[in-house]
Amino acid sequence: MSGRNEFGPNQAEVDRLLERLETVDQNQALFLAGFDSDDPARHDARLAMRTAAKGAGRERELKAAQQEVTRWMNTWFSGGFQIAGYGRDITPAQAAVGAAPIILDAVGALVLRDILPADVLGTLLAPWQELTAPA
């Protein structure tokens, strides 16, 4: 999955998210897709995340982690469910596409966890944490 310290000082947390991501099923992806990725607070938090990455010189680490999420999303298309005689059902892949902005937020927040303000961190991580919270 990741190279050594590819994601910066919060490597272990990013690795845990990426490992958990591999077990996300269609229902969980739909749950994440249900969050408003265009919410103004989320938009502001994303801007703060990008600004923090640039200011801390961690743009490479942020991009590397987010590329792992893109790779995960793409596997949903290449491994889509077959429907006899009709080709592929892309519904699972659409769920992954819908979930991707929320997962990109979460992985980015973890890359920069040590430098992001608590409110930004909370906004970016909340949906993922809700998904992964113990029942």
Side-chain angles (χ1 to χ4, degrees):
M1 190 173 296
S2 66
R4 203 174 132 153
N5 208 25
E6 180 181 8
F7 308 129
N10 304 310
Q11 177 83 32
E13 288 181 272
V14 175
D15 282 343
R16 278 193 296 278
L17 182 147
L18 294 173
E19 287 168 16
R20 174 62 177 87
L21 184 59
E22 295 299 325
T23 68
V24 168
D25 63 26
Q26 184 178 355
N27 287 334
Q28 292 171 331
L30 286 170
F31 170 79
L32 292 173
F35 286 89
D36 183 3
S37 65
D38 294 326
D39 175 64
R42 185 165 291 286
H43 175 76
D44 292 346
R46 284 184 186 131
L47 181 60
M49 177 175 59
R50 288 191 298 272
T51 301
K54 187 173 186 173
R58 286 202 214 156
E59 292 169 297
R60 181 188 59 78
E61 291 86 347
L62 177 60
K63 184 176 180 179
Q66 291 182 329
Q67 283 176 331
E68 289 294 316
V69 175
T70 302
R71 182 199 55 73
W72 165 83
M73 183 182 64
N74 288 336
T75 63
W76 286 62
F77 285 96
S78 62
F81 297 90
Q82 294 293 328
I83 297 180
Y86 294 101
R88 285 197 194 283
D89 172 7
I90 63 165
T91 305
Q94 289 171 331
V97 169
I102 301 302
I103 299 167
L104 289 167
D105 289 348
V107 77
L110 290 179
V111 168
L112 302 167
R113 172 173 229 137
D114 57 313
I115 60 173
L116 287 177
D119 61 327
V120 171
L121 196 61
T123 298
L124 296 172
L125 280 175
W128 179 259
Q129 289 174 328
E130 192 173 330
L131 173 75
T132 59

